[in-house]
Amino acid sequence: MLEPLRQGLPPLDPSAVSSAASCALPARYEAVGSARQFTRRTLVSWELEERFDDIALVVSELVTNALRHALPADTPRAACPVGTTEDAPVRLHMMRWTSRLVCAVRDPSDDSPVAREEAEEDFSAESGRGLFLVDSFSDGWGWHPLAGALNGKVVWALFQLA
């Protein structure tokens, strides 16, 4: 289990964010592709399409982890359409500052992300590498529990911009 980590997270002051975008994702694995499409459209509109490959990989891993590990077992897997907010259990947020970009995935679980120990890594395995990839392709990542009326957590990844 990982302790909540906020190091490297840009200020949460909304007025400091130069651009932001958000997308609700239903509880089905097809939502990962929709998250990548949303990421591409957002990066193109922010003139950051050259960063798409790394950012899309990280977004894919964060969304997959939320869908696979953060939803209750009885969550219906054919819920609302992508992009609607009604009952969407996972949400992707992208926030841009002048010199950095944060991708954050909100999910309803209070459980912390679990990273495999380096000695346990099996790089030929089809799963279990998600947080390793997030760490490898982003400039930092972490998570924090939600407060107030929202339950769950946010797992985020930071990208430095040129």
Side-chain angles (χ1 to χ4, degrees):
M1 182 157 29
L2 300 172
E3 292 299 316
L5 177 65
R6 299 172 200 265
Q7 295 175 335
L9 184 64
L12 296 177
D13 176 11
S15 65
V17 176
S18 62
S19 301
S22 183
C23 161
L25 299 167
R28 42 180 217 263
Y29 292 116
E30 293 85 2
V32 177
S34 298
R36 282 193 301 269
Q37 291 171 0
F38 172 80
T39 298
R40 180 180 297 281
R41 286 190 309 271
T42 302
L43 293 177
V44 166
S45 74
W46 292 346
E47 298 179 357
L48 295 172
E49 56 268 21
E50 74 278 357
R51 298 297 308 269
F52 173 75
D53 291 337
D54 290 349
I55 294 171
L57 173 68
V58 168
V59 163
S60 295
E61 293 299 333
L62 293 178
V63 171
T64 298
N65 284 349
L67 294 171
R68 184 174 289 158
H69 302 294
L71 298 180
D74 61 350
T75 301
R77 296 296 171 162
C80 61
V82 172
T84 64
T85 57
E86 185 180 338
D87 298 327
V90 175
R91 189 161 195 91
L92 168 62
H93 302 274
M94 297 180 70
M95 296 153 285
R96 178 185 181 194
W97 286 257
T98 304
S99 62
R100 54 195 168 185
L101 172 88
V102 170
C103 301
V105 175
R106 184 181 83 198
D107 68 55
S109 174
D110 293 324
D111 295 336
S112 75
V114 177
R116 284 188 175 187
E117 294 295 322
E118 198 170 313
E120 293 179 23
E121 291 293 346
D122 175 4
F123 294 101
S124 64
E126 289 190 24
S127 66
R129 298 183 312 259
L131 293 177
F132 174 80
L133 292 172
V134 169
D135 188 55
S136 297
F137 285 87
S138 69
D139 293 303
W141 73 278
W143 75 281
H144 59 89
L146 295 172
L150 294 174
N151 294 323
K153 68 179 172 300
V154 171
V155 182
W156 55 269
L158 169 72
F159 296 88
Q160 297 293 337
L161 302 176

